[in-house]
Amino acid sequence: MTVKLYPGAATLAELETLWRGSDAVQLDPDARGAVEASAATVAQAASGDTPVYGINTGFGKLASVRIAPEDTETLQRNLILSHCCGVGEALEPTTTRLMMALKLLSLGRGASGVRWDICALIEAMLTRGVLPVIPVQGSVGASGDLAPLAHMAAVMIGEGEAVFQDRTMAGGAALDAAGLQPVVLGPKEGLALINGTQFSTALALAALFDGWPAARAAVVTSAMSTDAIMGSTAPLNPAIHSLRGHQGQIEVAAAMSRLLDGSVIRESHREGDARVQDPYCIRCQPQVTGAAIDLLRYAGQTLQIEANAVTDNPLVIPETGEILSGGNFHAEPVAFAADQIALALAEIGAIAQRRVALMVDPTLSFDLPPFLTPAPGLNSGLMIAEVTTAALMSENKHLANPCSTDSTPTSANQEDHVSMAAHGARRLGRMTANLSVILGIEAMCAAQGIEQRAPLVTSAPLQSAMDCLRKVVPSLQQDRYLAPDIRAAADCISTDSLATAASLEMML
């Protein structure tokens, strides 16, 4: 299968398909005309006497230094090599592919001044599986993701490191093994490759794609927890949520109502239940997770716009012959989106953790055994599993502190305000992993609690979710080594299998 990229029109669904797969990639051939027109505009400027930033001048603080035409190739090559200053572990291959595809989409808009050969090489590298080794640390998110993208561009000129057929090798060797030739960069081409927000945007998109299954799962686990503690469904009445009007809240309440419909456990305590109201972690689930879902969707809209944007500098306008210096490389929208995703992930986990704490506490769980073990005392049950959720919830709350407000001046104060989008987006991977564990443990606790209500049974959709979990996590009758169970439960969350089993219809 080949994923076709249409510059300016890529959807989140298409980008997620590309991120999750290893399909060949093709840039829409109709983009070639605009790409070549902008390259011609740059070529004309490079041959003239007027100084044009990044074409016949130095970069950043060195923009006032004129570069002779015969030194253009050296200028661009030096730019790439000097900016390969990334450190830390390598970016995951799937996200590296997404980053390269985003760069291809940006160049394909025809406002970057690169030749079609540059686009063709990125396309061929994606199709044949040549993935540059991209260190994840070193970008401050303006002037773009310079260091990470320089490591990508280094492979394109035969330098740096790349992975090909599961082997890490020199960039030139990887191209050769794949039957590809390195490019010699022309005017502005090196700058076009390293200016841009594609590294930060790819990381933020990856977190969004991983975070959405967790958000969906949270709707299911919260319904399971509600039945486990014999909670009320009255707070799910649609009249409550329509009066407020927030779409996510309305959808979560409706979804939970469908999931709990037909539960014998629920019907058993409609009359004679002395409790007037459930704790907030049960009663306010639509309000909290619904708001988080709204935030994820808003961040997704921002990231879809950014994925289709031209974010290098200067920008080429072939229709007028203008070459305009600006600041589209400043990743503030991505930084804000990453912070919003972080808040959503932290809050989904925070309220889920309180439901776990509720279920293991016999004073609050409405007659469930302590720590959900049939034989408390001799067995500790899920006591420390709840502690694990508390640890991960706390870690996620710490990680959710904003990164976008932490600017610092760089490059001799020429780049005096930066976005910090790169590590703002990078921390999200850790947060989604933590959230999957929290929700996996909630599913374990809720399933254990529902089973304690026998002979009463839950609804058909929630029973299907429990059956999915029980394929990999058996019921806890006595203490056992729980770490593998927790990993398996977290996998049920991250792979979307729990929500799918419950036939949850909510989509991003």
Side-chain angles (χ1 to χ4, degrees):
M1 176 182 173
T2 297
V3 177
K4 197 168 185 179
L5 299 176
Y6 295 90
T11 67
L12 291 177
E14 290 166 347
L15 294 172
E16 183 172 4
T17 296
L18 189 149
W19 177 67
R20 293 193 184 278
S22 57
D23 299 313
V25 173
Q26 181 187 22
L27 186 63
D28 181 16
D30 289 344
R32 183 165 187 164
V35 170
E36 291 183 336
S38 71
T41 302
V42 168
Q44 183 177 5
S47 64
D49 296 327
T50 304
V52 183
Y53 174 72
I55 294 174
N56 53 16
T57 74
F59 308 104
K61 197 77 169 180
L62 303 176
S64 59
V65 179
R66 286 294 303 276
I67 305 298
E70 62 269 20
D71 291 330
T72 297
E73 291 180 5
T74 302
L75 172 70
Q76 298 297 317
R77 182 178 179 83
N78 286 349
L79 175 69
I80 299 305
L81 297 178
S82 67
H83 282 60
C84 287
C85 296
V87 297
E89 70 271 16
L91 186 65
E92 297 88 348
T94 54
T95 310
T96 300
R97 279 177 50 81
L98 181 57
M99 181 193 78
M100 294 170 69
L102 294 179
K103 177 55 75 174
L104 194 55
L105 281 167
S106 182
L107 298 179
R109 292 285 298 275
S112 299
V114 304
R115 294 164 297 155
W116 185 254
D117 289 351
I118 300 297
C119 300
L121 180 56
I122 298 175
E123 180 185 285
M125 289 168 66
L126 282 166
T127 296
R128 301 190 192 185
V130 177
L131 297 183
V133 175
I134 312 293
V136 295
Q137 293 173 280
S139 172
V140 295
S143 295
D145 294 314
L146 295 171
L149 290 170
H151 284 273
M152 178 195 75
V155 175
M156 296 175 65
I157 64 173
E159 300 288 346
E161 287 187 311
V163 175
F164 179 66
Q165 294 182 344
D166 298 324
R167 291 178 52 220
T168 300
M169 60 188 77
L175 290 178
D176 185 63
L180 301 174
Q181 294 293 321
V183 293
V184 176
L185 298 173
K188 193 188 177 292
E189 289 180 337
L191 188 60
L193 287 170
I194 69 172
N195 258 184
T197 65
Q198 288 78 32
F199 173 78
S200 299
T201 305
L203 280 165
L205 282 169
L208 184 72
F209 299 151
D210 266 347
W212 186 247
R216 279 168 43 87
V219 178
V220 178
T221 59
S222 64
M224 292 171 65
S225 297
T226 298
D227 234 14
I229 63 109
M230 302 184 86
S232 174
T233 55
L236 302 178
N237 189 302
I240 295 172
H241 307 286
S242 64
L243 283 168
R244 197 174 200 187
H246 293 297
Q247 187 61 31
Q249 177 180 330
I250 291 168
E251 289 182 23
V252 170
M256 290 182 66
S257 291
R258 289 192 297 270
L259 290 169
L260 284 158
D261 186 41
S263 168
V264 177
I265 296 173
R266 172 63 187 119
E267 296 305 318
S268 72
H269 63 97
R270 284 190 184 274
E271 304 292 335
D273 192 331
R275 296 171 296 173
V276 178
Q277 291 184 324
D278 294 316
Y280 287 179
C281 65
I282 298 294
R283 190 176 4 138
C284 299
Q285 166 67 357
Q287 287 81 357
V288 175
T289 297
I293 284 172
D294 284 339
L295 205 54
L296 289 175
R297 286 172 171 161
Y298 181 77
Q301 292 170 7
T302 298
L303 294 175
Q304 181 172 336
I305 292 170
E306 191 73 5
N308 286 288
V310 184
T311 55
D312 61 289
N313 178 62
L315 299 179
V316 182
I317 314 298
E319 295 82 1
T320 63
E322 294 177 287
I323 299 177
L324 305 175
S325 288
N328 278 5
F329 50 69
H330 199 297
E332 195 82 348
V334 182
F336 282 156
D339 283 347
Q340 290 164 344
I341 294 170
L343 291 172
L345 297 175
E347 282 299 272
I348 291 171
I351 195 169
Q353 198 283 327
R354 297 319 303 154
R355 292 192 295 269
V356 173
L358 181 72
M359 287 184 283
V360 300
D361 185 346
T363 64
L364 299 174
S365 65
F366 201 56
D367 299 327
L368 289 175
F371 306 108
L372 299 165
T373 176
L378 180 63
N379 295 282
S380 295
L382 293 166
M383 177 191 295
I384 305 305
E386 184 268 331
V387 175
T388 297
T389 65
L392 297 185
M393 175 193 68
S394 179
E395 186 175 306
N396 272 6
K397 287 196 292 185
H398 171 75
L399 290 170
N401 284 317
C403 295
S404 57
T405 57
D406 190 30
S407 176
T408 188
T410 62
S411 295
N413 281 301
Q414 178 73 7
E415 298 161 10
D416 59 351
H417 183 279
V418 298
S419 71
M420 297 302 181
H423 68 267
R426 184 167 60 89
R427 102 297 207 163
L428 298 176
R430 186 168 154 196
M431 294 185 71
T432 56
N434 287 346
L435 178 56
S436 291
V437 173
I438 293 170
L439 294 172
I441 291 174
E442 182 186 10
M444 290 170 60
C445 291
Q448 195 78 6
I450 288 171
E451 289 168 346
Q452 295 287 339
R453 301 299 183 187
L456 302 177
V457 295
T458 191
S459 66
L462 294 184
Q463 186 60 55
S464 294
M466 287 179 57
D467 292 344
C468 174
L469 179 71
R470 286 291 177 244
K471 289 177 182 178
V472 292
V473 181
S475 179
L476 186 66
Q477 299 304 314
Q478 58 186 14
D479 285 352
R480 64 173 184 261
Y481 188 62
L482 283 177
D485 292 337
I486 292 172
R487 286 195 296 271
D491 284 343
C492 287
I493 305 300
S494 61
T495 60
D496 206 33
S497 57
L498 194 79
T500 299
S503 299
L504 186 70
E505 297 175 354
M506 293 184 68
M507 298 299 293
L508 181 59

